[in-house]
Amino acid sequence: MLSPIISGAPGRLRSGDIGTRPGSVPATTTTNVIDGLPPSHRGRRFPDELLISRDPQRFNTLLNQQITAVQRASDYLGETEVALRQLARPLDSEKRYRQLQRARQWVARRTLLTGGTIDRNFQPCLDRPARVIFQCPPLQALLFTEQREVITFALGEGTFRHWSSLVIEPEMPLTQRIFALNRVLGQSHIWCHYELAEQRLLFTVPEDRWALLSHWAVRGGGVCFPADSLTLLQPQPLLSFEQQLQALLTGEPGAITLTAEQAVRHLQHERQKLYASRQQVDNQLEQRPARLDAAKAQSLAEHLRVQLAGYRGEYRGLNQALACQANLPLALVCQLVDSR
């Protein structure tokens, strides 16, 4: 299963540990501090463990997040493949029932177990949110109408509705109409494109906003949609791999369009994609500079302790100054530092 996301909580520095104050006990040496650590801390390597067990420095958060996302997606696809292969073995009725029940629960908890790194088609989505692809046939009339009409969309209920409008002109070409729809619907994180092969208008929305579309309505000017009332839209999601897999595990008669062999091949194909992503991350790790050895790390830590001790207890002010740099442009920070 998944490796722990965080291996340990970093310790907090206290002003008394890094410098001297008037009338306080002088700061202890590094040797005394190391000797005072428990055996479990003495054996801990530098740098600290990562979000998962990998090699780059722990403070490289972005790289750690990439590795963690790839690992979670790969683990989930691997466990799903193992579950399908176990069902292919000869089992008695009771064991098969329990195994099917566990597999159905495993597929149903996809979003929670993967952290959003696998979508409904069991495809990795490491650099984008998991999306639902759906169609809404009534809206396709907006692409071919030859009359001017003002279209108003409403998403939500009551006072929490979000309103957005656009104007369809007769002389607008197809691409311009799609652009106008995206400009308006994009405010609600809904995007559309026209599929020429199937000649249909398809929409996408993030999975975490799919439930909101149950209250998606439109009002027109009396041409494509009535002008005196809101027309409730009923988006229809395309058949996903997750639905086919659930039908396979449930054994619904007439609803199975997927075989176990096809499901395993699909999972293997997607795991190959993740393997390519993992190779890219490994290449980034190989290009990183050599890691600091223990002696160099201790030397830098001692140098930092000496500098902090010079502030004589004003660690809070130093910490605030360092934190403020994150809110300033990099060029301004460099200018302030170089001005000294």
Side-chain angles (χ1 to χ4, degrees):
M1 284 297 294
L2 304 177
S3 303
I5 300 304
I6 298 177
S7 60
R12 295 183 178 179
L13 294 177
R14 296 175 298 178
S15 59
D17 296 334
I18 60 174
T20 57
R21 294 183 180 180
S24 62
V25 179
T28 58
T29 63
T30 305
T31 305
N32 295 335
V33 172
I34 295 178
D35 293 338
L37 292 176
S40 60
H41 287 263
R42 295 179 189 176
R44 183 174 298 174
R45 68 178 180 86
F46 178 85
D48 291 340
E49 293 294 336
L50 314 176
L51 298 177
I52 60 176
S53 56
R54 296 287 284 161
D55 290 334
Q57 275 87 350
R58 184 169 183 258
F59 51 77
N60 194 335
T61 308
L62 179 59
L63 190 57
N64 286 327
Q65 290 175 347
Q66 293 175 352
I67 298 173
T68 304
V70 172
Q71 186 67 51
R72 297 187 73 175
S74 180
D75 286 346
Y76 184 80
L77 293 180
E79 291 291 336
T80 307
E81 182 180 343
V82 169
L84 291 177
R85 291 186 181 277
Q86 289 177 349
L87 290 173
R89 300 174 181 175
L91 300 172
D92 58 54
S93 58
E94 184 178 355
K95 290 183 178 180
R96 176 172 293 274
Y97 174 78
R98 291 198 301 265
Q99 185 64 26
L100 283 172
Q101 188 176 18
R102 284 194 295 265
R104 286 194 295 266
Q105 293 175 354
W106 177 263
V107 174
R109 299 175 62 197
R110 169 186 54 83
T111 303
L112 177 63
L113 295 175
T114 65
T117 58
I118 296 293
D119 62 12
R120 290 159 56 94
N121 289 315
F122 277 54
Q123 296 177 345
C125 47
L126 306 177
D127 56 350
R128 60 173 176 83
R131 298 174 297 184
V132 177
I133 304 176
F134 65 95
Q135 56 183 345
C136 191
L139 293 181
Q140 193 151 333
L142 299 177
L143 301 181
F144 306 105
T145 179
E146 297 181 356
Q147 299 186 44
R148 186 180 188 274
E149 188 171 11
V150 178
I151 304 296
T152 302
F153 292 97
L155 183 62
E157 293 183 280
T159 57
F160 297 98
R161 277 180 176 157
H162 178 268
W163 300 86
S164 55
S165 301
L166 76 154
V167 180
I168 299 295
E169 300 287 352
E171 63 276 6
M172 292 174 64
L174 177 63
T175 54
Q176 189 173 352
R177 297 186 186 205
I178 294 178
F179 176 81
L181 280 173
N182 280 325
R183 181 175 54 83
V184 172
L185 297 179
Q187 302 175 20
S188 302
H189 304 278
I190 303 172
W191 306 96
C192 66
H193 70 279
Y194 189 71
E195 196 176 55
L196 290 175
E198 300 291 338
Q199 294 186 352
R200 60 181 178 179
L201 187 64
L202 295 180
F203 300 83
T204 60
V205 66
E207 281 192 6
D208 56 358
R209 298 183 62 87
W210 169 248
L212 299 177
L213 297 190
S214 60
H215 304 288
W216 191 28
V218 64
R219 182 170 57 200
V223 181
C224 295
F225 297 100
D228 56 350
S229 63
L230 286 172
T231 300
L232 185 64
L233 297 173
Q234 297 179 349
Q236 304 170 5
L238 299 186
L239 183 64
S240 64
F241 179 82
E242 183 179 56
Q243 291 174 297
Q244 298 179 65
L245 189 57
Q246 285 286 16
L248 175 65
L249 297 174
T250 306
E252 300 176 5
I256 300 177
T257 59
L258 181 73
T259 64
E261 293 77 10
Q262 292 174 341
V264 170
R265 285 198 298 268
H266 176 78
L267 294 174
Q268 290 176 340
H269 177 68
E270 298 304 327
R271 290 184 69 189
Q272 286 295 327
K273 292 182 182 179
L274 287 172
Y275 178 77
S277 300
R278 186 65 168 267
Q279 289 297 111
Q280 294 178 0
V281 175
D282 290 339
N283 293 336
Q284 296 181 32
L285 298 180
E286 293 176 358
Q287 296 173 3
R288 292 177 59 84
R291 188 190 307 168
L292 298 176
D293 56 12
K296 184 63 175 178
Q298 181 174 335
S299 174
L300 291 176
E302 179 68 20
H303 180 65
L304 178 62
R305 186 194 68 82
V306 172
Q307 286 188 327
L308 293 177
Y311 284 87
R312 297 188 177 277
E314 292 299 326
Y315 173 71
R316 179 175 297 178
L318 174 63
N319 185 44
Q320 291 177 350
L322 293 175
C324 288
Q325 293 186 13
N327 300 322
L328 298 176
L330 180 60
L332 179 59
V333 175
C334 295
Q335 183 179 3
L336 291 175
V337 174
D338 294 340
S339 62
R340 295 190 61 182

